[in-house]
Amino acid sequence: MNYSITEDIQWYRACMITDVPENGGVCVKYKDEQIALFHFARRGEWYASQNLCPHRRQMTISRGMIGSQGGEPKVACPLHKKTFSLIDGRCLSDEEGCGIKTYPVKVIDQYVYIGIVDDKDSSQAICA
Amino acid sequence: MKVIVIGNGMVGHKFCEKLLARDKKQVFQITVFGEEAHRAYDRVHLTDYFSGKTAEDLSLVDQNWYVANKIDLYLDDPVVEIDKYNKKIISSKGRELSYDYLVLATGSAPFVPNVPGTDKHGVFVYRTIDDPELITSYAFRAKKAVVIGGGLLGLEATKALKDLDLETHVVEFAPRLMPRQLDESGAEFLKSKLEHMGIHVHLNKATSSVSGKEKVEALEFKDNSRLEVDMVVISAGIKPRDELAKDCGLRTGPRGGIIVNNKLQTNDPCIYAIGECALFEGMVYGLVAPGYEMADIVASQLTGTDKVFADFDMSTKLKLLGVDVASFGDALAIENECSTIVFEDRVWGIYKRLNVSTDGKYLLGGILVGDASAYNILLQTYKNGLPLPQNAEDVFMKSGAAGKMNAGSGIAALPDAALICSCEGVSKGAICCTVKDYGIEDLDGVKKITKAGTGCGGCVPMIKDIISETLKELGKKVKPAICEHFAYRRQELFDLVKVHGIKTFDEALDKFGNGAGCEVCKPVMASILASAWNDSILKQPAIQDTNDRYLANIQKGGTYSVVPRIPGGEITPDKLIVIGRIAKKYNLYTKITGAQRIDMFGAHVSELPLIWEELVAAGFESGHAYGKALRTVKSCVGSTWCRFGLHDSVSFAIRIEERYRGLRAPHKIKSAVSGCVRECAEAQSKDFGIIATEKGWNLFVGGNGGSKPQHAVLLASDIDEETCIRYIDRFLMFYIKTADPLTRTATWMNKMEGGITYLQNVIVNDSLGIGKQLEKEMQNLVDHYKCEWKEVVESPELRKHFNHFVNLPGEKDPNVQFEALRGQKKAVDWK
């Protein structure tokens, strides 16, 4: 990867807080990207990742159940229950498994924003 | 005392660990020299390197381990000379150190056959962590690859090449694969499995040369045939690294290997050799377990314990390209020196051979291909000389429940000295001891203290069994918590929910749990809450599994399938037309299911409410195909039409299906009603099945189809409809309240102490006095039934959730693709 980390983050206004089920997720379309957005209402935290399951390349991550593993927020793909950290995207259930890309999220005035690093290399979803 | 270890491989590293552990008085100062630039890493799992593991992932210890243990580690600096008269060594970087004891753990190098052309570009060996890297980068330019050597390591390399998407060939000199571990038939089974995966196997092939200009172009064989390939990986065996030893005058074997006695001493008593470089009684031990044992023996010798090396058991079990292969003891025993029991299943590709002493009493060895689930117990039976049971073939050859049950009781029979983890040399006694003396109750704890199960991991199921056996012995309840968030079993959670009046997942987490929950406990709790209160699952969408959340079954491509309820399999022509019309309108693939219903596939998530709006308007209800719930009550046509029918099975099936529709349970529930003993509805393969008799109905429970089919057993006979329903109420409620998550009724009953007799007592004789209570609870659930889809269709708020994109309602997932098939559509195959 040869993208520069000083690249500015573009904040995309994805939806209202109330559009996302508490302790659940939705899928956001940004240009041609599909981004899974999750609201950990119990902890007041938000996370975002690619929507593509890296295992079978299906757009399903946003429909997965979220939870924690030793305190670390995670999501389980609904298809085969592989779990991924929402902090760094690594696969938690299978050491050899491919990880997923994560995005920063912020909330301002009832709106949820997803941070996009506008760079060709990094916008490519990670896949098996 | 100064100890120098030459070699920082798995065995060299293990020696450091063992010596540290045994050196209670801390008299030894250890120095390690390694030729490679990497710290000791897990060479056994080298193939994992291909699937993205890094050198650091495979590393046996972290960077600080050597420093923390005061060991001087010199990497990338091989020792070049041993001066055994002055007891010192010289390294390639010019370090000169003296020693009191020297341990050679120089390992082995790949044996490269002496044929012309092995120096060409595209020829690789498979040994160190750099090899996978070289192979991977060359593979980008290659299409066809061959592995020379069909032994254990060769097949590992084959897997790696296959994973790189190359057309993969394997060439073996012997007439069969894995000639040291498998007999002819076993190897034949393995071969056909590999061929099934698209791997080309060539046997009886002696390579005469590797041809090509600069790069490899083909392998030439002695029989004048040739195989065109772009790359070659040689894995034809190992050659002990004994050159250093030879140079300083230590005795070595004619075909390599440093000769050692049973203390692992060379002919210089201050110099030891361990692992693959050592030659003991004419044999080089090329596995990690005996290497570890040697490491421990030298550590013992140095610290004053007289432990010696004896002939080491070379039993192995591994997964090669997803195929279980195991061989133990005298696997290749000659027919007339023993009796053999052979089991072959060509459909599933399973081969098992047991070699038994001629009197039939003892196990001598064996081979397992395709299913090695019995390996551990067989190995223990062999190693400990336990007498074989009378019906040995039944016990060990079957892989189903029967074999397992006996495996469980087999563990109790093992002596304390039985070696369970041969990688780390941990006995059954040591594992029991951690449970008894340290109060450890789980696998992780045992792993931490004893290191058992941390090597190849093959013994893990056995360790688990020993832990629960020991806990049982101590009178402790074995308490498998459902996950890290709830330290309870499902049954306990059910009671807690009831007693405390818990209505939501969050309340439960606050009161009895911790963390944020997970994909295991959320659906369990969702099922409990639904069973306890029959509250709509729509109120807490985020704790439902995806199928329950979208009230449809997710399929390949991320679209859903829709199954309306067709009670008893009875449907009017008008309703059939409605289904046809809707399927056509939304372009859905239709199929009759195994449960007498119609499944419609390929609906986008945003179409689900639209489809159901039409279905509900036509009088359909949810079929709950998405839920751990009652699916269908299948029926034969019964006495209304059938000339053999005794009673009206369709009417009874509809009555039952409508009674229990929507019921949430630990797993799906299936049922059927047959109108006579011919049993056309296959009721005996259901969780509860009813068969008409002259005098009434027979009620069977605990059957299922699926991967482990099991027949239902008779609970009550010749009962009338009302009694039948009363018993089913009790049975289902008892199951819902007490079964573990994702346990079908068959498994639940198999685990029940007392089995069907106990169940009959509870349900029919009401021995616990809970009959009335169970019936009342069931009636309450029946009274509160609502069709989930009707609720969604009528609620704009709930319909909002059925969108693929939150910011573009109604827009479909553009990634979904279909292909045409026999006039309908199908999902595009995934990778």
Side-chain angles (χ1 to χ4, degrees):
Chain A
M1 293 261 218
N2 53 0
Y3 63 88
S4 104
I5 46 165
T6 55
E7 204 94 38
D8 280 337
I9 293 180
Q10 302 273 327
W11 290 99
Y12 174 68
R13 191 163 89 177
C15 60
M16 304 269 295
I17 289 179
T18 49
D19 290 335
V20 186
E22 290 196 353
N23 301 305
V26 292
C27 173
V28 174
K29 192 173 186 191
Y30 170 74
K31 293 186 181 166
D32 284 336
E33 267 178 81
Q34 295 197 20
I35 302 171
L37 174 65
F38 302 102
H39 183 197
F40 283 67
R42 287 178 63 82
R43 312 155 52 135
E45 292 166 10
W46 292 80
Y47 296 96
S49 74
Q50 69 183 51
N51 192 34
L52 185 78
C53 110
H55 171 216
R56 289 300 191 187
R57 313 203 55 170
Q58 312 277 307
M59 288 295 180
T60 50
I61 298 286
S62 61
R63 297 180 209 159
M65 272 180 286
I66 57 172
S68 64
Q69 178 170 320
E72 186 171 0
K74 66 168 183 175
V75 59
C77 174
L79 286 173
H80 300 95
K81 293 279 151 55
K82 282 194 191 288
T83 55
F84 303 93
S85 160
L86 288 170
I87 298 290
D88 57 13
R90 74 185 191 286
C91 184
L92 298 170
S93 43
D94 175 0
E95 280 184 30
E96 296 168 17
C98 223
I100 56 175
K101 184 184 166 188
T102 57
Y103 299 77
V105 182
K106 66 181 181 187
V107 174
I108 301 170
D109 289 344
Q110 302 300 307
Y111 282 97
V112 189
Y113 296 79
I114 298 175
I116 316 279
V117 179
D118 206 11
D119 172 275
K120 274 195 184 123
D121 278 341
S122 67
S123 65
Q124 207 112 72
I126 307 165
C127 55
Chain B
M1 296 272 235
K2 283 180 276 189
V3 178
I4 293 180
V5 183
I6 304 182
N8 190 223
M10 296 180 81
V11 172
H13 172 75
K14 179 60 61 180
F15 169 75
C16 297
E17 277 185 12
K18 295 282 185 189
L19 186 59
L20 286 175
R22 287 185 179 270
D23 181 20
K24 298 268 170 355
K25 293 177 198 151
Q26 303 193 351
V27 295
F28 290 101
Q29 165 58 40
I30 310 174
T31 306
V32 180
F33 284 87
E35 183 179 59
E36 289 180 63
H38 303 278
R39 276 192 317 284
Y41 56 86
D42 185 352
R43 214 184 290 279
V44 175
H45 292 102
L46 201 55
T47 352
D48 296 351
Y49 197 79
F50 285 99
S51 43
K53 281 211 174 177
T54 61
E56 202 53 46
D57 291 335
L58 289 178
S59 190
L60 291 175
V61 283
D62 71 59
Q63 226 165 347
N64 304 321
W65 189 86
Y66 285 90
V67 180
N69 288 294
K70 300 195 182 79
I71 296 175
D72 293 324
L73 175 67
Y74 299 110
L75 291 175
D76 199 14
D77 189 12
V79 169
V80 291
E81 197 186 321
I82 299 169
D83 176 354
K84 64 182 176 156
Y85 301 104
N86 297 310
K87 287 183 138 186
K88 63 177 191 180
I89 60 99
I90 301 169
S91 81
S92 71
K93 291 186 179 162
R95 292 191 170 93
E96 244 186 86
L97 269 77
S98 63
Y99 63 83
D100 296 297
Y101 294 102
L102 184 64
V103 177
L104 300 172
T106 45
S108 68
F111 168 70
V112 177
N114 190 15
V115 297
T118 51
D119 53 346
K120 292 195 194 307
H121 282 303
V123 180
F124 299 91
V125 292
Y126 191 64
R127 168 75 189 173
T128 76
I129 204 156
D130 299 324
D131 297 326
E133 220 158 342
L134 295 171
I135 291 170
T136 313
S137 58
Y138 195 85
F140 280 117
R141 287 172 281 160
K143 284 204 178 108
K144 240 174 124 175
V146 63
V147 176
I148 301 182
L152 220 147
L153 270 174
L155 294 179
E156 284 276 347
T158 307
K159 172 186 171 13
L161 293 177
K162 182 77 193 148
D163 288 349
L164 290 170
D165 269 344
L166 296 168
E167 181 188 324
T168 308
H169 296 254
V170 56
V171 168
E172 168 60 42
F173 174 74
R176 61 174 192 267
L177 291 172
M178 297 182 70
R180 294 177 83 169
Q181 287 88 9
L182 298 184
D183 65 355
E184 225 164 277
S185 311
E188 192 52 42
F189 269 81
L190 178 61
K191 178 171 172 255
S192 62
K193 284 240 169 191
L194 297 189
E195 283 171 341
H196 199 69
M197 285 175 225
I199 292 164
H200 307 264
V201 181
H202 310 270
L203 303 173
N204 281 316
K205 288 276 182 196
T207 309
S208 57
S209 72
V210 180
S211 61
K213 281 182 192 142
E214 277 171 13
K215 298 189 302 194
V216 176
E217 284 164 22
L219 279 192
E220 311 282 345
F221 302 109
K222 292 208 169 126
D223 59 6
N224 290 326
S225 58
R226 74 197 299 258
L227 177 68
E228 283 180 20
V229 288
D230 309 316
M231 65 187 291
V232 177
V233 175
I234 297 177
S235 182
I238 56 168
K239 184 176 70 185
R241 291 281 302 269
D242 58 4
E243 59 276 8
L244 200 56
K246 217 183 247 173
D247 289 348
C248 74
L250 293 177
R251 279 171 53 209
T252 57
R255 297 213 318 242
I258 307 163
I259 296 173
V260 291
N261 62 16
N262 64 0
K263 295 176 177 175
L264 286 323
Q265 273 167 325
T266 63
N267 55 317
D268 178 333
C270 295
I271 304 181
Y272 294 83
I274 56 177
E276 290 177 329
C277 66
L279 182 69
F280 173 71
E281 292 182 351
M283 172 125 175
V284 169
Y285 289 80
L287 290 178
V288 72
Y292 281 4
E293 175 70 5
M294 291 178 181
D296 189 47
I297 286 165
V298 176
S300 311
Q301 291 287 342
L302 295 184
T303 50
T305 311
D306 192 25
K307 189 177 166 185
V308 295
F309 191 76
D311 184 30
F312 197 87
D313 178 52
M314 294 294 273
S315 302
T316 35
K317 175 186 153 196
L318 65 162
K319 237 192 174 60
L320 280 171
L321 298 132
V323 185
D324 275 343
V325 178
S327 95
F328 61 94
D330 191 356
L332 306 172
I334 303 161
E335 283 282 341
N336 50 17
E337 285 172 15
C338 68
S339 315
T340 57
I341 306 174
V342 175
F343 171 87
E344 290 186 359
D345 178 343
R346 295 199 178 269
V347 178
W348 294 101
I350 295 169
Y351 172 79
K352 300 180 183 187
R353 165 178 165 179
L354 299 186
N355 302 326
V356 178
S357 59
T358 41
D359 58 6
K361 279 190 182 152
Y362 299 100
L363 189 58
L364 304 173
I367 292 166
L368 307 168
V369 177
D371 170 21
S373 51
Y375 172 74
N376 280 323
I377 194 71
L378 287 171
L379 180 65
Q380 295 298 337
T381 306
Y382 150 71
K383 275 193 183 169
N384 296 291
L386 299 180
L388 279 171
Q390 289 284 324
N391 52 341
E393 64 273 25
D394 287 347
V395 177
F396 297 125
M397 292 307 194
K398 286 189 186 151
S399 49
K404 260 226 161 112
M405 241 172 254
N406 280 289
S409 60
I411 279 173
L414 292 179
D416 272 355
L419 192 63
I420 303 298
C421 173
S422 42
C423 296
E424 294 287 340
V426 184
S427 66
K428 177 189 167 194
I431 296 169
C432 294
C433 175
T434 54
V435 176
K436 284 180 185 156
D437 301 349
Y438 293 80
I440 301 294
E441 296 188 1
D442 60 357
L443 176 69
D444 283 345
V446 170
K447 275 184 170 178
K448 231 172 242 166
I449 292 184
T450 63
K451 294 202 125 191
T454 58
C456 70
C459 58
V460 164
M462 208 153 202
I463 299 176
K464 280 189 186 163
D465 285 348
I466 294 173
I467 296 171
S468 38
E469 281 284 319
T470 317
L471 285 174
K472 245 188 238 164
E473 235 174 76
L474 294 175
K476 278 194 195 172
K477 251 204 168 149
V478 187
K479 186 171 154 179
I482 62 168
C483 68
E484 68 173 73
H485 307 102
F486 289 98
Y488 299 97
R489 299 179 51 182
R490 186 181 179 279
Q491 185 180 347
E492 294 169 316
L493 280 175
F494 195 100
D495 293 341
L496 286 170
V497 162
K498 273 280 194 183
V499 171
H500 293 266
I502 302 291
K503 293 285 172 71
T504 68
F505 180 75
D506 278 0
E507 276 175 65
L509 208 49
D510 290 339
K511 256 200 150 111
F512 333 108
N514 63 78
C518 69
E519 73 283 359
V520 175
C521 59
K522 281 182 172 179
V524 168
M525 194 50 89
S527 154
I528 290 173
L529 290 169
S531 304
W533 316 115
N534 212 5
D535 222 5
S536 169
I537 62 166
L538 300 165
K539 287 190 185 158
Q540 299 180 71
I543 62 166
Q544 312 296 337
D545 224 332
T546 189
N547 287 353
D548 261 332
R549 181 169 164 198
Y550 292 99
L551 307 170
N553 294 48
I554 196 166
Q555 307 289 359
K556 265 188 187 175
T559 60
Y560 288 85
S561 65
V562 172
V563 187
R565 187 168 294 288
I566 299 177
E570 182 187 81
I571 187 165
T572 62
D574 280 338
K575 279 191 159 179
L576 274 177
I577 290 168
V578 169
I579 289 184
R581 183 179 57 74
I582 292 174
K584 216 166 173 180
K585 178 171 173 186
Y586 293 94
N587 184 25
L588 304 174
Y589 166 85
T590 51
K591 186 179 184 307
I592 309 287
T593 70
Q596 302 186 335
R597 317 204 272 187
I598 299 171
D599 205 342
M600 296 179 268
F601 291 79
H604 284 269
V605 71
S606 53
E607 290 174 331
L608 291 172
L610 303 172
I611 292 169
W612 273 104
E613 191 162 23
E614 299 193 34
L615 285 170
V616 168
F620 282 104
E621 287 186 324
S622 167
H624 297 99
Y626 46 81
K628 303 296 175 214
L630 177 78
R631 294 293 172 81
T632 201
V633 180
K634 189 175 171 177
S635 70
C636 69
V637 73
S639 61
T640 52
W641 290 93
C642 177
R643 65 190 195 284
F644 300 113
L646 294 171
H647 308 305
D648 180 359
S649 48
V650 180
S651 297
F652 197 23
I654 293 173
R655 182 179 173 195
I656 291 171
E657 181 156 346
E658 290 185 338
R659 179 170 181 80
Y660 302 113
R661 66 191 164 183
L663 184 71
R664 288 306 202 275
H667 211 308
K668 65 180 169 193
I669 306 172
K670 294 189 169 188
S671 176
V673 182
S674 278
C676 76
V677 73
R678 286 172 188 75
E679 243 283 68
C680 296
E682 297 164 332
Q684 287 168 96
S685 67
K686 306 298 181 193
D687 294 281
F688 63 99
I690 302 157
I691 301 173
T693 67
E694 298 280 349
K695 297 176 198 156
W697 303 94
N698 279 353
L699 175 59
F700 292 80
V701 293
N704 67 206
S707 61
K708 275 187 192 155
Q710 189 168 329
H711 277 145
V713 285
L714 186 66
L715 184 76
S717 46
D718 296 328
I719 48 178
D720 60 26
E721 278 195 22
E722 301 313 313
T723 312
C724 192
I725 284 183
R726 228 175 52 235
Y727 288 169
I728 300 170
D729 277 1
R730 293 178 180 185
F731 169 73
L732 288 178
M733 210 58 220
F734 191 46
Y735 163 64
I736 288 169
K737 292 177 86 165
T738 61
D740 284 328
L742 299 180
T743 306
R744 289 286 293 272
T745 53
T747 318
W748 172 66
M749 282 169 59
N750 290 347
K751 285 186 184 168
M752 190 179 287
E753 256 174 71
I756 182 68
T757 320
Y758 174 77
L759 192 68
Q760 257 164 350
N761 270 328
V762 174
I763 305 295
V764 180
N765 306 329
D766 198 9
S767 60
L768 300 178
I770 55 172
K772 282 276 162 294
Q773 173 70 19
L774 295 173
E775 286 169 41
K776 207 176 113 198
E777 285 169 330
M778 181 58 82
Q779 191 57 47
N780 188 41
L781 293 181
V782 171
D783 292 342
H784 285 87
Y785 166 77
K786 273 191 215 151
C787 171
E788 286 142 12
W789 266 114
K790 190 160 179 282
E791 281 183 75
V792 172
V793 166
E794 288 168 357
S795 157
E797 193 50 36
L798 290 172
R799 286 178 78 138
K800 224 180 77 180
H801 293 306
F802 291 83
N803 274 307
H804 185 71
F805 294 114
V806 68
N807 53 344
L808 287 166
E811 185 161 323
K812 295 169 183 172
D813 177 2
N815 284 49
V816 169
Q817 287 175 347
F818 300 110
E819 284 168 1
L821 182 71
R822 288 186 294 277
Q824 297 203 64
K825 67 175 182 183
K826 75 183 254 297
V828 168
D829 272 338
W830 57 28
K831 267 182 76 181

